Each structure stands twice: as structure tokens, then as C-alpha cells.
Amino acid sequence: MESKRIIISGATSGIGCEIAKLYITNGYKVGIMGRRIELLNKLKEKSPENVFVQQLDINSDDATTNFQFLIDSMGGLDIYFHVSGIGYQNVPLDYDKELRTAETNCKGFTRMITYAFNYFAQQGKGHIACITSIAGTKGLGAAPAYSPSKRFCNHYLECL
């Protein structure tokens, strides 16, 4: 039986990295994406034959091209697990932090999710999983852009 293939965005640290380790341990072909290539390469050392690395920033215009390159490198895709996202405690309301949060958690999210959705629709099968946040259910005053960006993710997924 052929190994299942999963790609995880945001696999350089935190939840994304831990999810990647679990899938590696369970024998999946695991594609890992993120901005920090050195952390991705370190994770690849755990199972060089089953881990595929692609440096990728979901905010970049070439993100879907790099995503497709990783899919092709793995011989296809069964599960896309979106963990990429950012958030800041931003009581002073720094404009740049608010815009980076919205760009990553809304625009970058939409770029990657719609690409995966269309890929699976064309393939006729596949699964999308996402880590969003309970913050999407109510406003967090200390992180003004974070809560609505996570609400966007939740509702977008509902709509799909």
C-alpha cells in the first residue's frame, strides 16, 4: 500500500512542527513548508526518504507555484494541513503589525486554501485541515487584527 501524502504549511516551529513529527512517525510522506529553511532541513533529518522540503512564504506571489512544486516532488497530495499564521499583542495598535496579521491570516490563508481546494476538486479527492483559533469567536482587545482574521478563516472554511 502506498503511503499517504500530507503537506503542512507553517512546519518550522510550534504546532506545525509537532504535527509534522507525528505524521513522519506514522509513516506518511510529509511535505513541509515554511519561511525558515534551516528549520525545515533539520526536520527532514528525521526521515530523509519520506520528508520533502519547500521554502515558502504564504504571502509571496510565488507561493502557489512553490506549493505545486512540492506536490509534484511528492508524487501528489492527499491532505493539506494549514498551520501558517501570525498574531501580535498590539495594544499600541501598531499599523504595520495589524496589516501583517491581516495579510498572513487572510490573504495568505486564502491563497493557500483555495489552491488546495481546487487541486483536490480537480483530483476528485483530498482533505484540508486547518489550525485557526478560538479567538475567531470573540474579539481580543490586546490583539485587534488577530480575532477578526481568525473569524475570517473559520467562516471561509465553512463556506467551502
Side-chain angles (χ1 to χ4, degrees), residues 8 10-14 16-22 24 30-33 36-48 50-53:
I8 303 162
T12 57
S13 63
C17 182
E18 293 304 314
I19 290 168
K21 289 176 186 175
L22 289 171
I24 291 166
V30 180
I32 51 176
M33 303 185 300
R36 296 173 290 177
I37 191 71
E38 67 282 353
L39 296 175
L40 297 173
N41 286 331
K42 186 174 181 179
L43 193 51
K44 182 176 176 65
E45 292 172 6
K46 293 188 177 305
S47 182
N50 288 322
V51 177
F52 301 79
V53 171

Side-chain angles (χ1 to χ4, degrees), residues 7-145:
I7 291 179
I8 303 162
S9 66
T12 57
S13 63
I15 295 170
C17 182
E18 293 304 314
I19 290 168
K21 289 176 186 175
L22 289 171
Y23 278 96
I24 291 166
T25 300
N26 285 297
Y28 280 67
K29 281 187 175 180
V30 180
I32 51 176
M33 303 185 300
R35 290 178 287 119
R36 296 173 290 177
I37 191 71
E38 67 282 353
L39 296 175
L40 297 173
N41 286 331
K42 186 174 181 179
L43 193 51
K44 182 176 176 65
E45 292 172 6
K46 293 188 177 305
S47 182
E49 65 285 348
N50 288 322
V51 177
F52 301 79
V53 171
Q54 180 65 50
Q55 186 174 27
L56 184 147
D57 181 342
I58 67 171
N59 293 324
S60 174
D61 289 337
D62 66 354
T64 55
T65 301
N66 290 329
F67 186 21
Q68 185 62 54
F69 180 80
L70 184 56
I71 293 169
D72 293 342
S73 298
M74 295 175 59
L77 181 61
D78 302 301
I79 304 167
Y80 173 58
F81 206 137
H82 187 89
V83 189
S84 298
I86 61 169
Y88 303 97
Q89 288 204 3
N90 191 17
V91 175
L93 206 57
D94 177 278
Y95 178 77
D96 290 330
K97 287 180 179 177
E98 296 297 282
L99 287 180
R100 280 194 304 272
T101 300
E103 179 183 28
T104 300
N105 296 352
C106 297
K107 184 179 176 184
F109 171 87
T110 302
R111 173 182 283 123
M112 301 306 291
I113 295 300
T114 56
Y115 193 86
F117 184 91
N118 288 326
Y119 176 87
F120 290 140
Q122 184 176 12
Q123 178 173 271
K125 63 180 179 173
H127 299 279
I128 295 173
C130 297
I131 301 289
T132 62
S133 175
I134 192 73
T137 63
K138 65 182 212 164
L140 299 178

